[in-house]
Amino acid sequence: MADESESAGARAERLARFQPASGMVTPRFSGLASFMRLPVLDPAEAVGDRAGEGAGEGTRLVEIGLIGIPFDGTTTNRPGARLGPRAVREASTGTRALNHATGVAPYALAACADLGDVPVNPVDAAETARRIEAFYRPLAEAGIVPLTVGGDHFITYPVLRALGAARPLGLIHIDAHSDTDNSQYGDTQYGGARLTHGTPFRRAVEDGVLDPRRCIQIGIRGSMDAADERDWALAQGMRILTMEEVCARGLPEVAAEARAVTGDGPTYLSFDIDALDPAFAPGTGTPEIGGFTTREALHLLRALRGLDLVGADVVEVAPPLDSAGITALAGAGIAFEILSLLAERVAARH
């Protein structure tokens, strides 16, 4: 963990080191793309295995790590999300240092860096899950808050296993689909696939890394294969807010319920880009009509300020299915909004 006795001067130096490149100094279209134009750092160095400038032995260098997981090997409809991290990195070069709506300047509040991509195995979901969990466990132990860009939604499961190993987490899950199927493509006893992008939250509850009574799913809509996906989640105590209920109640009430369900405990935020209507995010594997506008999504996220967020992700951006890069742009904008939430929370802990 970071040294709580870090002086104000040392902290200021550390924050200065991990600033994004300014578009007022070098053009945003120049150089190699990283998330938000942040410095790129090896994960081992980030956790302090190799003490860097301004950090003592065994201290973390950054407080928020942006990470790509280029994996879509469990996608059951249209593939392409493996290219999501690369496209979101490119789109995120257009973000700036200040959130105009909330006034949050995330890089003035927390040391942030691009920690690269998890080295996935594109043809082996179980092996990829092990690699993801192994990548995230040292970050969790060092107190580094991860903001992940996928990749299909399966990737959230091993991330939760790493972050929820010490205690089960709450969850705010914004999506068109509840992703609580038991298995897909066959009965579980006879070869059904239990690791898909439609099963991550069921697996996480079963593994004890999610507290279902502190889980809320927002924006669920569209047709289902069977009622079990919904009925199982409700039986565990998960709260499901369908898009119809969201529209009837309004965003302020929805955000208030999300805050009430998750409470003061550690909480993970997962945003599937297909929560957005396909008019705003066509580049995704399983689009559903009748979703959020990008403006509504931003307002919903801003209403979650102050929650104890210990990690977050944006998943299912599929660039091959995109039109003029608008889904990647939406993903980058959502990621910056979430980064603002995380940075505020990191600063509040100091």
Side-chain angles (χ1 to χ4, degrees), residues 2 14-15 50 56 60 105 121 123 143 154-155 169 173 202 207 214 218 224 253 258 292 302 305 317 319-320 324 345:
R14 187 153 65 102
L15 289 174
R50 295 195 301 270
R60 65 188 177 194
N121 181 335
V123 296
F154 159 76
I155 63 100
L169 304 176
H173 171 205
R202 190 159 180 154
D207 288 357
R214 294 185 53 240
I218 302 171
M224 296 187 298
E253 278 195 29
F292 289 104
R302 290 167 188 161
R305 296 174 71 181
V317 173
R345 192 57 190 165

Side-chain angles (χ1 to χ4, degrees), residues 5-20:
S5 66
E6 181 182 32
S7 69
R11 178 162 179 77
E13 289 181 10
R14 187 153 65 102
L15 289 174
R17 175 180 173 182
F18 293 103
Q19 291 293 307

Side-chain angles (χ1 to χ4, degrees), residues 78 273 276-287 318 321-328:
R78 306 186 300 173
I273 206 69
L276 302 179
D277 190 271
F280 302 92
T284 192
T286 312
L321 306 172
D322 209 356
S323 177
I326 64 171
T327 309

